[in-house]
Amino acid sequence: MILKPGTGTNPYYARKHGHEIPNALDKVLAGLCPEYQPTGATNSIDAAEMLCKGERIEFSTGSPSAAPTPRVLSYTPSNETFGTRTPAAPSAPAPLPAPKPPVALADLEGILTPSHGWSELDSQRQLQALKHCAADSPQATTRKAFDQSIGLGDKAFSKTGWAAGLSTASLIAGVGSVLTVFSNPGLALGLASGALAGAGGASLLLRSSYQDHNNGQILSDMGRRIDAKTHGFDYDRHGSHGNYTADFNLPRK
């Protein structure tokens, strides 16, 4: 086998067939047999596999350096198996929702009329609360109602805490007056008076706390009904809403 120095190529065979041998296995076999037809594989492993299968790559003989022609595989799907896809009809764009009419200040009393589970007494007390939320727009009215409702809730919580403290102090003073009634009648009388005063103060605080909580509930429900209507909905009465314990009697500011 005669190879061209530095290339590992049989120059006689390359001139005879018009192309070089690209892998070592074909080079060896071509050097042993001048009539050997190379596989054209780029490496010896693929060449050995092609020899076993009897495959060859056809080369162009126009130029010694011409590259091997790649095999092109094409695939055409059959309609007999998969059928044809029917193009979907273009869908019409969804219609835009009709614009909601704006809610005016004159409509607020109408929103708070008895409906959607709200009784006549509920609506009457909500209308009382509306007078304490005067503003230049329904949104501002709702904001005032919610702000006052939150403030009244905080006051009710604070008053309940003070009432609990006074009740505890009154209980301790009452027990002390009983224990000292025979040993120190004057101290016992003072403790008893303090216990009665503390109990009275706790009662007043609890009563005020309940009123603040009731007013806050009325303001909250009124604000929710107006806010829902400005967005095109109705706020239904549910759960503990409505059936207030007393009228709305917040001092007018």
Side-chain angles (χ1 to χ4, degrees), residues 149-203:
S149 175
I150 294 172
L152 289 171
D154 294 340
K155 287 183 179 179
F157 180 79
S158 177
K159 290 176 181 178
T160 302
W162 279 107
L166 284 176
S167 298
T168 303
S170 299
L171 179 61
I172 294 173
V175 173
S177 66
V178 172
L179 295 177
T180 60
V181 65
F182 297 107
S183 61
N184 192 338
L187 178 59
L189 181 60
L191 290 174
S193 299
L196 291 175
S203 177

Side-chain angles (χ1 to χ4, degrees), residues 12-218:
Y12 303 104
Y13 189 87
R15 284 197 297 271
K16 177 181 179 181
H17 293 277
H19 60 82
E20 296 184 356
I21 303 175
N23 66 82
L25 179 60
D26 283 342
K27 293 173 185 176
V28 173
L29 295 178
L32 297 176
C33 180
E35 301 300 325
Y36 172 75
Q37 297 293 327
T39 61
T42 57
N43 58 76
S44 298
I45 296 177
D46 292 344
E49 182 179 356
M50 294 176 67
L51 285 174
C52 294
K53 296 180 179 180
E55 297 178 352
R56 294 290 189 278
I57 294 178
E58 297 296 332
F59 294 91
S60 172
T61 58
S63 173
S65 60
T69 303
R71 290 177 296 175
V72 180
L73 300 178
S74 61
Y75 169 74
T76 303
S78 173
N79 291 337
E80 297 177 358
T81 303
F82 299 101
T84 57
R85 182 185 297 274
T86 303
S91 57
L96 296 176
K100 298 185 294 291
V103 177
L105 288 173
D107 301 331
L108 298 185
E109 293 187 2
I111 294 173
L112 300 178
T113 55
S115 60
H116 301 282
W118 300 100
S119 66
E120 185 175 354
L121 187 58
D122 294 336
S123 296
Q124 177 184 343
R125 288 168 172 169
Q126 291 171 9
L127 288 172
Q128 293 171 356
L130 180 62
K131 298 177 182 179
H132 294 264
C133 300
D136 55 358
S137 67
Q139 291 77 11
T141 300
T142 302
R143 185 165 53 253
K144 279 192 173 183
F146 288 152
D147 290 344
Q148 292 185 69
S149 175
I150 294 172
L152 289 171
D154 294 340
K155 287 183 179 179
F157 180 79
S158 177
K159 290 176 181 178
T160 302
W162 279 107
L166 284 176
S167 298
T168 303
S170 299
L171 179 61
I172 294 173
V175 173
S177 66
V178 172
L179 295 177
T180 60
V181 65
F182 297 107
S183 61
N184 192 338
L187 178 59
L189 181 60
L191 290 174
S193 299
L196 291 175
S203 177
L204 291 176
L205 283 174
L206 284 176
R207 188 179 304 171
S208 178
S209 173
Y210 293 151
Q211 187 63 53
D212 288 342
H213 177 75
N214 181 71
N215 290 339
Q217 289 294 316
I218 297 174

